[in-house]
Amino acid sequence: IVHSAKTLEQLNADTESLQEIASGFGCNLTKLSYQQDIGLDTVLPYGLRSVQQQRTLITDNVSILTPFSAQEIQQMGGICYGNNAVSGNLIVANRANLLNGNCIRLGVSGAGKSFSVKQEIAYVLLSTHDDVLVLDPEGEFTPMVGAFGGSMIDISGSSAVRINALDMEKGYADDGKDPLPDKSEFVLSLFEQIMQDDLKAQHRSIIDRCVQAVYRPYIASGYKGNAPTLTDLQAEIKKQPEPEAQELALAAELFISGSLSIFAQKTNVAQNNRLTSYNILDLGEQLLPMGMLVILESIYNRVIQNRREGKYTHVYIDEIYLFFANGSGSGHSITNYSSEFLYKCWKRFRKYGATLTGITQNVEECLLSNTARMMFANSEFLLMLNQATTDREQLARLLGASDTQMSYVDNAPAGHGLIKVGGAIVPFANELPKNTELYRLMSTKPGED
């Protein structure tokens, strides 16, 4: 503001009057003492700012001065997730800064879920020293893992790879608590898959008793030597006097001493590569549910190990709906223990210096599970691509999203949708140039290999 007077006394009087008027509207006017010349240069329409004086305003203050029409997501140290579909600005988010960095990626087949995951993995590998672990039921990540020098562990009933389902790292339980209750819950989830609908209360009691018996010497030794195996557990179950114990031993025979015993022996493969992917495409329907649980448990142990070494870990689970298929979230359904074990990882990974990402297109089937609904509602980071009609309606109710926001996932092109970071929900467009090596590695479209 520039004002003038014929005398200094009048100028000072006018200045005081102006300051009082401005103060009544919550505005503070400051005099440019001995700086009148640069003040005049700044006010005149030269396009210059000679007064080197600034004031930082918080968002609420700035919003009064400027009519913003788009919400932005730009966080320090983050990863680029495309452009804001409204403003065109880059969307940069840092999952580590959220209350929990867990993420769910949703979209129909061909919407770009796997592509967005591979893009994020590439950014993590190229810009950080973090570890990346992938549970890959479809074998989609093989080319990319190879290009980045990662370790691809191919698991099938006919492969020579063996992973001990009962491996347990020191620090398996929180805050030095007894790890056996948590490990017993995991073993129950394995037998849930083995016994299907026939796992009764008597069976669960026997399993818990035997788990404690086989782990007690290993824990007492300070986790030194070899962890017990399912073979050891089966031998302990056979020692029990109840007839239900013999039922358990017989039902588990196929998976412990039979032809599908790849998770019943000592681990014989290294799992310490910075980028490790578990390919279970050829595991078969009989072993797939059990295999996903065992691999998740193996990943859980790796996260604990990385925590001790001060490493951050990013975990990606494709087709996460398999943990909730046919589950209702109540009673002891075929996936009840499985979904609860996954939810335990979902809650704990933040404390262990890790994030977990679930990828699925079967949203409606997941949301039949109360556990899955809690995971969706409590995830600070969601990436939603093109959605089926029924899925859009359920997601809108779950997230409290408006019709305008959900319109961005209605018949959206591949790589376009909504991203939720904390309390912000922003439409985005994420398209990588097709004439790049990264695009070739990430794309799964036919004819683009």
Side-chain angles (χ1 to χ4, degrees), residues 237-248:
I237 290 174
K238 287 181 177 180
K239 295 178 184 178
Q240 308 308 306
E242 296 87 355
E244 289 82 3
Q246 308 314 311
E247 293 175 5
L248 281 172

Side-chain angles (χ1 to χ4, degrees), residues 51 172 210 243 275 391 400:
V51 178
Y172 186 84
C210 294
L275 171 60
D391 292 338

Side-chain angles (χ1 to χ4, degrees), residues 306-323:
N306 282 356
R307 180 196 189 190
R308 291 202 308 266
E309 297 174 1
K311 292 182 182 178
Y312 202 85
T313 314
H314 302 260
V315 180
Y316 298 87
I317 301 178
D318 203 0
E319 305 297 346
I320 199 171
Y321 80 93
L322 292 171
F323 283 92

Side-chain angles (χ1 to χ4, degrees), residues 142-167:
T142 301
M144 183 177 181
V145 172
F148 277 91
S151 175
M152 176 64 69
I153 301 176
D154 296 312
I155 304 169
S156 67
S158 58
S159 73
V161 173
R162 297 291 181 267
I163 295 180
N164 180 12
L166 300 192
D167 278 338

Side-chain angles (χ1 to χ4, degrees), residues 253-297:
E253 186 174 296
L254 174 65
F255 300 93
I256 295 179
S257 55
S259 58
L260 303 180
S261 59
I262 62 173
F263 302 118
Q265 304 168 34
K266 296 176 183 177
T267 300
N268 66 353
V269 61
Q271 303 177 71
N272 55 0
N273 195 302
R274 184 188 172 202
L275 171 60
T276 302
S277 179
Y278 298 88
N279 181 8
I280 55 177
L281 176 63
D282 299 322
L283 202 53
E285 291 186 6
Q286 288 288 330
L287 274 173
L288 182 60
M290 184 177 181
M292 290 193 71
L293 273 173
V294 173
I295 301 307
L296 182 57
E297 172 76 350

Side-chain angles (χ1 to χ4, degrees), residues 323-350:
F323 283 92
F324 305 102
N326 303 318
S328 62
S330 60
H332 293 286
S333 66
I334 186 171
T335 56
N336 188 51
Y337 285 116
S338 307
S339 59
E340 288 299 326
F341 179 70
L342 175 63
Y343 188 49
K344 180 186 77 171
C345 296
W346 205 262
K347 292 188 296 183
R348 290 186 177 179
F349 273 18
R350 179 188 62 82

Side-chain angles (χ1 to χ4, degrees), residues 369-443:
S369 164
N370 290 334
T371 303
R373 294 182 73 88
M374 287 190 292
M375 288 169 55
F376 274 67
N378 295 325
S379 295
E380 289 280 287
F381 192 103
L382 269 77
L383 195 145
M384 295 167 279
L385 298 156
N386 189 26
Q387 301 291 315
T389 303
T390 54
D391 292 338
R392 286 199 304 272
E393 295 171 354
Q394 293 206 44
L395 285 170
R397 287 194 297 270
L398 187 66
L399 302 175
S402 67
D403 292 340
T404 302
Q405 288 173 325
M406 295 308 295
S407 68
Y408 286 95
V409 293
D410 183 8
N411 295 320
H416 293 237
L418 286 174
I419 185 170
K420 175 181 180 290
V421 181
I425 301 179
V426 173
F428 74 94
N430 184 23
E431 297 181 0
L432 195 69
K434 294 184 178 182
N435 60 341
T436 61
E437 181 67 12
L438 279 177
Y439 184 91
R440 187 187 67 80
L441 291 171
M442 297 172 187
S443 176

